[in-house]
PDB file of all heavy atoms in Angstrom:
ATOM      1  N   VAL A  55      26.493 -34.774-104.675  1.00  0.00           N
ATOM      2  CA  VAL A  55      26.742 -33.611-103.979  1.00  0.00           C
ATOM      3  C   VAL A  55      27.703 -33.888-102.919  1.00  0.00           C
ATOM      4  O   VAL A  55      27.472 -34.654-102.117  1.00  0.00           O
ATOM      5  CB  VAL A  55      25.315 -32.910-103.343  1.00  0.00           C
ATOM      6  CG1 VAL A  55      25.732 -31.678-102.492  1.00  0.00           C
ATOM      7  CG2 VAL A  55      24.347 -32.780-104.324  1.00  0.00           C
ATOM      8  N   LEU A  56      28.796 -33.147-102.955  1.00  0.00           N
ATOM      9  CA  LEU A  56      29.962 -33.456-102.086  1.00  0.00           C
ATOM     10  C   LEU A  56      29.739 -32.806-100.686  1.00  0.00           C
ATOM     11  O   LEU A  56      28.824 -32.135-100.402  1.00  0.00           O
ATOM     12  CB  LEU A  56      31.297 -32.975-102.632  1.00  0.00           C
ATOM     13  CG  LEU A  56      31.667 -33.595-103.956  1.00  0.00           C
ATOM     14  CD1 LEU A  56      32.840 -32.978-104.637  1.00  0.00           C
ATOM     15  CD2 LEU A  56      31.976 -35.009-103.784  1.00  0.00           C
ATOM     16  N   GLY A  57      30.765 -33.163 -99.784  1.00  0.00           N
ATOM     17  CA  GLY A  57      30.738 -32.690 -98.491  1.00  0.00           C
ATOM     18  C   GLY A  57      30.297 -33.728 -97.457  1.00  0.00           C
ATOM     19  O   GLY A  57      29.424 -34.392 -97.716  1.00  0.00           O
ATOM     20  N   HIS A  58      30.972 -33.667 -96.192  1.00  0.00           N
ATOM     21  CA  HIS A  58      30.517 -34.682 -95.241  1.00  0.00           C
ATOM     22  C   HIS A  58      30.822 -34.302 -93.710  1.00  0.00           C
ATOM     23  O   HIS A  58      30.659 -35.033 -92.873  1.00  0.00           O
ATOM     24  CB  HIS A  58      31.096 -36.003 -95.450  1.00  0.00           C
ATOM     25  CG  HIS A  58      32.580 -36.119 -95.401  1.00  0.00           C
ATOM     26  ND1 HIS A  58      33.397 -35.627 -96.360  1.00  0.00           N
ATOM     27  CD2 HIS A  58      33.264 -36.609 -94.404  1.00  0.00           C
ATOM     28  CE1 HIS A  58      34.657 -35.800 -95.970  1.00  0.00           C
ATOM     29  NE2 HIS A  58      34.599 -36.342 -94.773  1.00  0.00           N
ATOM     30  N   GLU A  59      31.278 -32.993 -93.664  1.00  0.00           N
ATOM     31  CA  GLU A  59      31.852 -32.539 -92.299  1.00  0.00           C
ATOM     32  C   GLU A  59      31.211 -31.104 -92.200  1.00  0.00           C
ATOM     33  O   GLU A  59      31.749 -30.119 -92.493  1.00  0.00           O
ATOM     34  CB  GLU A  59      33.292 -32.449 -92.438  1.00  0.00           C
ATOM     35  CG  GLU A  59      34.042 -32.092 -91.124  1.00  0.00           C
ATOM     36  CD  GLU A  59      35.541 -31.902 -91.190  1.00  0.00           C
ATOM     37  OE1 GLU A  59      35.808 -31.086 -92.030  1.00  0.00           O
ATOM     38  OE2 GLU A  59      36.099 -32.869 -90.696  1.00  0.00           O
ATOM     39  N   GLY A  60      30.073 -31.265 -91.518  1.00  0.00           N
ATOM     40  CA  GLY A  60      29.152 -29.869 -91.480  1.00  0.00           C
ATOM     41  C   GLY A  60      28.487 -29.673 -90.123  1.00  0.00           C
ATOM     42  O   GLY A  60      28.295 -30.540 -89.405  1.00  0.00           O
ATOM     43  N   ALA A  61      28.079 -28.357 -90.154  1.00  0.00           N
ATOM     44  CA  ALA A  61      27.110 -28.025 -88.926  1.00  0.00           C
ATOM     45  C   ALA A  61      26.212 -27.014 -89.405  1.00  0.00           C
ATOM     46  O   ALA A  61      26.509 -26.116 -90.424  1.00  0.00           O
ATOM     47  CB  ALA A  61      28.037 -27.465 -87.780  1.00  0.00           C
ATOM     48  N   GLY A  62      25.039 -26.941 -88.827  1.00  0.00           N
ATOM     49  CA  GLY A  62      24.074 -25.920 -89.210  1.00  0.00           C
ATOM     50  C   GLY A  62      22.857 -25.759 -88.162  1.00  0.00           C
ATOM     51  O   GLY A  62      22.989 -26.160 -87.065  1.00  0.00           O
ATOM     52  N   VAL A  63      21.778 -25.377 -88.682  1.00  0.00           N
ATOM     53  CA  VAL A  63      20.492 -25.258 -87.919  1.00  0.00           C
ATOM     54  C   VAL A  63      19.473 -25.955 -88.412  1.00  0.00           C
ATOM     55  O   VAL A  63      19.180 -26.037 -89.630  1.00  0.00           O
ATOM     56  CB  VAL A  63      20.185 -23.702 -87.848  1.00  0.00           C
ATOM     57  CG1 VAL A  63      18.959 -23.475 -87.077  1.00  0.00           C
ATOM     58  CG2 VAL A  63      21.326 -22.929 -87.293  1.00  0.00           C
ATOM     59  N   VAL A  64      18.776 -26.684 -87.560  1.00  0.00           N
ATOM     60  CA  VAL A  64      17.582 -27.569 -87.924  1.00  0.00           C
ATOM     61  C   VAL A  64      16.491 -26.670 -88.519  1.00  0.00           C
ATOM     62  O   VAL A  64      16.170 -25.685 -87.840  1.00  0.00           O
ATOM     63  CB  VAL A  64      17.111 -28.427 -86.691  1.00  0.00           C
ATOM     64  CG1 VAL A  64      15.777 -29.061 -87.154  1.00  0.00           C
ATOM     65  CG2 VAL A  64      18.211 -29.336 -86.256  1.00  0.00           C
ATOM     66  N   GLU A  65      15.991 -26.987 -89.679  1.00  0.00           N
ATOM     67  CA  GLU A  65      14.943 -26.220 -90.294  1.00  0.00           C
ATOM     68  C   GLU A  65      13.470 -26.961 -90.097  1.00  0.00           C
ATOM     69  O   GLU A  65      12.469 -26.244 -90.083  1.00  0.00           O
ATOM     70  CB  GLU A  65      15.178 -25.933 -91.754  1.00  0.00           C
ATOM     71  CG  GLU A  65      16.396 -25.024 -91.887  1.00  0.00           C
ATOM     72  CD  GLU A  65      16.541 -24.587 -93.330  1.00  0.00           C
ATOM     73  OE1 GLU A  65      15.626 -24.928 -94.280  1.00  0.00           O
ATOM     74  OE2 GLU A  65      17.357 -23.645 -93.567  1.00  0.00           O
ATOM     75  N   ALA A  66      13.702 -28.349 -90.190  1.00  0.00           N
ATOM     76  CA  ALA A  66      12.394 -29.115 -90.096  1.00  0.00           C
ATOM     77  C   ALA A  66      12.668 -30.631 -89.662  1.00  0.00           C
ATOM     78  O   ALA A  66      13.863 -30.941 -89.921  1.00  0.00           O
ATOM     79  CB  ALA A  66      11.573 -29.162 -91.304  1.00  0.00           C
ATOM     80  N   VAL A  67      11.768 -31.213 -89.088  1.00  0.00           N
ATOM     81  CA  VAL A  67      12.047 -32.650 -88.742  1.00  0.00           C
ATOM     82  C   VAL A  67      10.902 -33.468 -89.139  1.00  0.00           C
ATOM     83  O   VAL A  67       9.745 -32.902 -89.282  1.00  0.00           O
ATOM     84  CB  VAL A  67      12.120 -32.692 -87.117  1.00  0.00           C
ATOM     85  CG1 VAL A  67      13.409 -31.953 -86.688  1.00  0.00           C
ATOM     86  CG2 VAL A  67      10.930 -32.416 -86.462  1.00  0.00           C
ATOM     87  N   GLY A  68      11.149 -34.729 -89.511  1.00  0.00           N
ATOM     88  CA  GLY A  68      10.170 -35.586 -89.927  1.00  0.00           C
ATOM     89  C   GLY A  68       9.426 -36.344 -88.725  1.00  0.00           C
ATOM     90  O   GLY A  68       9.808 -36.101 -87.527  1.00  0.00           O
ATOM     91  N   ALA A  69       8.401 -36.956 -89.024  1.00  0.00           N
ATOM     92  CA  ALA A  69       7.647 -37.744 -88.009  1.00  0.00           C
ATOM     93  C   ALA A  69       8.529 -38.627 -87.101  1.00  0.00           C
ATOM     94  O   ALA A  69       9.456 -39.215 -87.578  1.00  0.00           O
ATOM     95  CB  ALA A  69       6.549 -38.601 -88.577  1.00  0.00           C
ATOM     96  N   GLY A  70       8.247 -38.623 -85.807  1.00  0.00           N
ATOM     97  CA  GLY A  70       9.009 -39.411 -84.921  1.00  0.00           C
ATOM     98  C   GLY A  70      10.422 -38.824 -84.389  1.00  0.00           C
ATOM     99  O   GLY A  70      11.001 -39.420 -83.500  1.00  0.00           O
ATOM    100  N   VAL A  71      10.726 -37.699 -84.862  1.00  0.00           N
ATOM    101  CA  VAL A  71      11.972 -37.032 -84.376  1.00  0.00           C
ATOM    102  C   VAL A  71      11.725 -36.279 -83.163  1.00  0.00           C
ATOM    103  O   VAL A  71      10.959 -35.229 -83.361  1.00  0.00           O
ATOM    104  CB  VAL A  71      12.699 -36.278 -85.481  1.00  0.00           C
ATOM    105  CG1 VAL A  71      14.074 -35.599 -84.913  1.00  0.00           C
ATOM    106  CG2 VAL A  71      13.157 -37.122 -86.673  1.00  0.00           C
ATOM    107  N   THR A  72      12.263 -36.468 -82.128  1.00  0.00           N
ATOM    108  CA  THR A  72      12.035 -35.645 -80.780  1.00  0.00           C
ATOM    109  C   THR A  72      13.336 -35.142 -80.219  1.00  0.00           C
ATOM    110  O   THR A  72      13.198 -34.317 -79.337  1.00  0.00           O
ATOM    111  CB  THR A  72      11.252 -36.599 -79.735  1.00  0.00           C
ATOM    112  OG1 THR A  72      12.139 -37.787 -79.411  1.00  0.00           O
ATOM    113  CG2 THR A  72       9.989 -37.069 -80.361  1.00  0.00           C
ATOM    114  N   HIS A  73      14.573 -35.588 -80.619  1.00  0.00           N
ATOM    115  CA  HIS A  73      15.752 -35.139 -79.846  1.00  0.00           C
ATOM    116  C   HIS A  73      16.289 -33.871 -80.429  1.00  0.00           C
ATOM    117  O   HIS A  73      17.067 -33.232 -79.753  1.00  0.00           O
ATOM    118  CB  HIS A  73      16.693 -36.355 -79.906  1.00  0.00           C
ATOM    119  CG  HIS A  73      17.535 -36.387 -81.296  1.00  0.00           C
ATOM    120  ND1 HIS A  73      16.913 -36.842 -82.364  1.00  0.00           N
ATOM    121  CD2 HIS A  73      18.829 -35.944 -81.605  1.00  0.00           C
ATOM    122  CE1 HIS A  73      17.626 -36.769 -83.402  1.00  0.00           C
ATOM    123  NE2 HIS A  73      18.873 -36.403 -82.908  1.00  0.00           N
ATOM    124  N   VAL A  74      15.786 -33.386 -81.523  1.00  0.00           N
ATOM    125  CA  VAL A  74      16.218 -32.108 -82.106  1.00  0.00           C
ATOM    126  C   VAL A  74      14.940 -31.541 -82.570  1.00  0.00           C
ATOM    127  O   VAL A  74      13.904 -32.144 -82.928  1.00  0.00           O
ATOM    128  CB  VAL A  74      17.254 -32.045 -83.162  1.00  0.00           C
ATOM    129  CG1 VAL A  74      18.582 -32.542 -82.574  1.00  0.00           C
ATOM    130  CG2 VAL A  74      16.802 -33.064 -84.356  1.00  0.00           C
ATOM    131  N   ALA A  75      14.898 -30.185 -82.681  1.00  0.00           N
ATOM    132  CA  ALA A  75      13.667 -29.343 -83.106  1.00  0.00           C
ATOM    133  C   ALA A  75      14.182 -28.186 -84.001  1.00  0.00           C
ATOM    134  O   ALA A  75      15.399 -27.784 -84.025  1.00  0.00           O
ATOM    135  CB  ALA A  75      12.892 -28.830 -81.956  1.00  0.00           C
ATOM    136  N   PRO A  76      13.265 -27.557 -84.880  1.00  0.00           N
ATOM    137  CA  PRO A  76      13.775 -26.470 -85.455  1.00  0.00           C
ATOM    138  C   PRO A  76      14.429 -25.336 -84.606  1.00  0.00           C
ATOM    139  O   PRO A  76      13.865 -25.101 -83.592  1.00  0.00           O
ATOM    140  CB  PRO A  76      12.292 -25.947 -86.159  1.00  0.00           C
ATOM    141  CG  PRO A  76      11.608 -27.295 -86.365  1.00  0.00           C
ATOM    142  CD  PRO A  76      11.917 -28.028 -85.251  1.00  0.00           C
ATOM    143  N   GLY A  77      15.492 -24.859 -85.171  1.00  0.00           N
ATOM    144  CA  GLY A  77      16.217 -23.756 -84.416  1.00  0.00           C
ATOM    145  C   GLY A  77      17.382 -24.299 -83.683  1.00  0.00           C
ATOM    146  O   GLY A  77      18.293 -23.527 -83.410  1.00  0.00           O
ATOM    147  N   ASP A  78      17.405 -25.627 -83.527  1.00  0.00           N
ATOM    148  CA  ASP A  78      18.669 -26.193 -82.742  1.00  0.00           C
ATOM    149  C   ASP A  78      19.856 -26.187 -83.648  1.00  0.00           C
ATOM    150  O   ASP A  78      19.784 -26.440 -84.801  1.00  0.00           O
ATOM    151  CB  ASP A  78      18.308 -27.672 -82.383  1.00  0.00           C
ATOM    152  CG  ASP A  78      17.422 -27.747 -81.211  1.00  0.00           C
ATOM    153  OD1 ASP A  78      17.151 -26.808 -80.469  1.00  0.00           O
ATOM    154  OD2 ASP A  78      16.809 -29.042 -80.923  1.00  0.00           O
ATOM    155  N   HIS A  79      20.944 -25.974 -82.957  1.00  0.00           N
ATOM    156  CA  HIS A  79      22.210 -25.963 -83.683  1.00  0.00           C
ATOM    157  C   HIS A  79      22.764 -27.489 -83.614  1.00  0.00           C
ATOM    158  O   HIS A  79      22.599 -28.087 -82.552  1.00  0.00           O
ATOM    159  CB  HIS A  79      23.304 -25.154 -82.972  1.00  0.00           C
ATOM    160  CG  HIS A  79      23.135 -23.685 -83.367  1.00  0.00           C
ATOM    161  ND1 HIS A  79      24.116 -22.806 -83.248  1.00  0.00           N
ATOM    162  CD2 HIS A  79      21.959 -23.047 -83.660  1.00  0.00           C
ATOM    163  CE1 HIS A  79      23.581 -21.580 -83.528  1.00  0.00           C
ATOM    164  NE2 HIS A  79      22.252 -21.677 -83.878  1.00  0.00           N
ATOM    165  N   VAL A  80      23.137 -27.928 -84.697  1.00  0.00           N
ATOM    166  CA  VAL A  80      23.655 -29.295 -84.775  1.00  0.00           C
ATOM    167  C   VAL A  80      24.955 -29.659 -85.468  1.00  0.00           C
ATOM    168  O   VAL A  80      25.185 -28.631 -86.424  1.00  0.00           O
ATOM    169  CB  VAL A  80      22.583 -30.287 -85.468  1.00  0.00           C
ATOM    170  CG1 VAL A  80      21.300 -30.372 -84.550  1.00  0.00           C
ATOM    171  CG2 VAL A  80      22.160 -29.816 -86.879  1.00  0.00           C
TER     172      VAL A  80
END
Side-chain angles (χ1 to χ4, degrees):
V55 180
L56 295 175
H58 65 286
E59 186 181 66
V63 180
V64 174
E65 294 190 358
V67 300
V71 178
T72 59
H73 74 292
V74 293
D78 285 344
H79 287 205
V80 293

